[in-house]
Amino acid sequence: MSDIGNSNRIAREYLDSLRIETRYMDSENPILDFELYGTKAAMPIMTAALSHLDHFMYPGAAEALAKGAKEAGAILWYGMAEEEEIERLAAFGGPMIEIIKPYANRDIIFRKIEHAEKLGLLAVGIDIDHPFADDGSPDNVSGYEMRAMTTGELREICQSTGLPVIIKGVLSTKDADKCLNAGARGLVLSHHNNRIEYAIPPLALLPEIVEMTYGQAPVFVDCEIKTGMDAFKALALGAKGVCIGRPLMTAIKQDEQNGVRDYLVKVTNELKKAMAYTGCTTLEKMDPTVIHTDSFPQ
């Protein structure tokens, strides 16, 4: 089967096409002071909103993710799970964001948000890019039917809680505008691991969507973020933070106890190197002009 339309491949190639210029003069050792919604973390590199790890990998994999994120000082994002699993992950004590599917039964969304409030989670999110199956019919995930979110429904959700509501799966300025107008307090640019072929790379849209927010809502990037240099490119172009998914799953398989922590620390050190070499010495001093989008021979 041809891989030509694979959105992961397209995003990877776009990331790899971006070139950086070095700026050593007056540079300093970088500082990674990072704050999100009033909570401090050690890095702007976070876990992606993985789901049902205990089912798809092995019992205890979800806890390994939460433990590693806590030890590295990273914010934990997690996806679809029953309340008991969310409680077990929140018990590790690190800052946590729960991403909620677009359940056709909207009452489930409100119940999950209320549960997140009781647990003291940092934020919640709505996964808007998961309403349809491959044939365009309503998707069904673990026995739950999904349905596309309307702007009015999203506004009601945002107004129902004091928690920041983040919208995951934004990949157009039109969706970004609707989500922001509905009260979203964060956007995740993502094609959800190739849910649709030929998707535009998240980083290609990032500068335009960041400009739309006027700094009022952080923009995060998902999809093919694997290294500190990937993270640097996203942050330099305006992302508030990045999410790493599949590499952390591999890290859990290779070393259940320390794999996630060690991978996040390694990627953070790679990010620090890129920051030092480009004069972007703090996250507030990230400069998009160090990134060049011109085509160069591979």
Side-chain angles (χ1 to χ4, degrees):
M1 181 180 293
S2 172
D3 193 45
I4 188 170
N6 185 287
S7 296
N8 290 326
R9 180 192 60 79
I10 293 169
R12 182 71 256 163
E13 290 182 354
Y14 186 80
L15 263 167
D16 290 340
S17 75
L18 300 177
R19 301 296 189 259
I20 67 166
E21 63 178 57
T22 56
R23 298 178 183 176
Y24 298 112
M25 294 298 297
D26 299 314
S27 189
E28 300 173 328
N29 294 330
I31 299 173
L32 279 187
D33 288 346
F34 178 63
E35 185 173 314
L36 182 62
Y37 304 127
T39 296
K40 294 183 178 180
M43 60 190 74
I45 299 168
M46 304 168 285
T47 76
L50 303 172
S51 300
H52 293 309
L53 286 187
D54 288 2
H55 173 74
F56 291 114
M57 296 182 66
Y58 57 80
E63 282 88 346
L65 180 72
K67 172 178 174 289
K70 175 67 166 24
E71 291 178 350
I75 294 173
L76 171 70
W77 296 53
Y78 204 72
M80 189 175 184
E82 298 301 326
E83 289 185 357
E84 184 273 336
E85 185 175 3
I86 297 296
E87 290 168 6
R88 282 190 284 116
L89 302 184
F92 280 89
M96 180 177 173
I97 297 171
E98 180 182 4
I99 301 298
I100 302 168
K101 295 290 184 198
Y103 295 94
N105 181 353
R106 302 307 200 205
D107 288 343
I108 297 176
I109 296 175
F110 288 104
R111 287 201 302 270
K112 285 184 171 290
I113 291 175
E114 183 178 359
H115 184 246
E117 292 173 337
K118 291 178 180 177
L119 292 177
L121 300 192
L122 179 60
V124 294
I126 305 297
D127 195 357
I128 64 167
D129 63 357
H130 214 296
F132 303 116
D134 287 343
D135 62 357
S137 63
D139 203 359
N140 189 293
V141 185
S142 300
Y144 294 97
E145 184 175 314
M146 304 292 153
R147 191 175 79 231
M149 187 70 56
T150 70
T151 305
E153 288 173 328
L154 180 57
R155 181 175 293 109
E156 183 181 1
I157 289 169
C158 292
Q159 292 174 347
S160 74
T161 178
L163 292 177
V165 177
I166 302 167
I167 309 306
K168 181 178 180 291
V170 174
L171 210 57
S172 69
T173 56
K174 291 187 179 299
D175 271 358
D177 183 59
K178 290 180 179 181
C179 292
L180 292 169
N181 286 333
R185 291 179 57 191
L187 306 173
V188 183
L189 307 191
S190 172
H191 55 65
H192 203 130
N193 191 25
N194 194 39
R195 279 197 64 80
I196 186 170
E197 300 83 359
Y198 298 97
I200 186 169
L203 259 66
L205 272 177
L206 176 60
E208 187 174 4
I209 291 181
V210 167
E211 186 176 1
M212 289 176 59
T213 69
Y214 301 105
Q216 297 175 0
V219 180
F220 311 97
V221 173
D222 199 350
C223 301
E224 289 300 306
I225 304 296
K226 297 180 177 180
T227 68
M229 184 58 77
D230 294 340
F232 173 78
K233 291 175 180 179
L235 294 166
L237 290 173
K240 174 71 173 182
V242 300
C243 298
I244 295 180
R246 284 173 294 165
L248 295 183
M249 295 175 69
T250 300
I252 293 171
K253 290 179 182 178
Q254 294 175 343
D255 183 354
E256 181 178 355
Q257 291 300 312
N258 302 312
V260 170
R261 179 201 65 194
D262 292 350
Y263 193 91
L264 289 171
V265 170
K266 176 180 77 72
V267 172
T268 300
N269 288 336
E270 294 168 351
L271 170 60
K272 289 180 179 179
K273 172 186 175 181
M275 292 172 67
Y277 283 36
T278 57
C280 299
T281 54
T282 69
L283 296 175
E284 289 70 34
K285 293 182 180 178
M286 285 291 180
D287 186 345
T289 66
V290 305
I291 306 295
H292 293 258
T293 59
D294 311 87
S295 296
F296 287 88
Q298 298 296 313

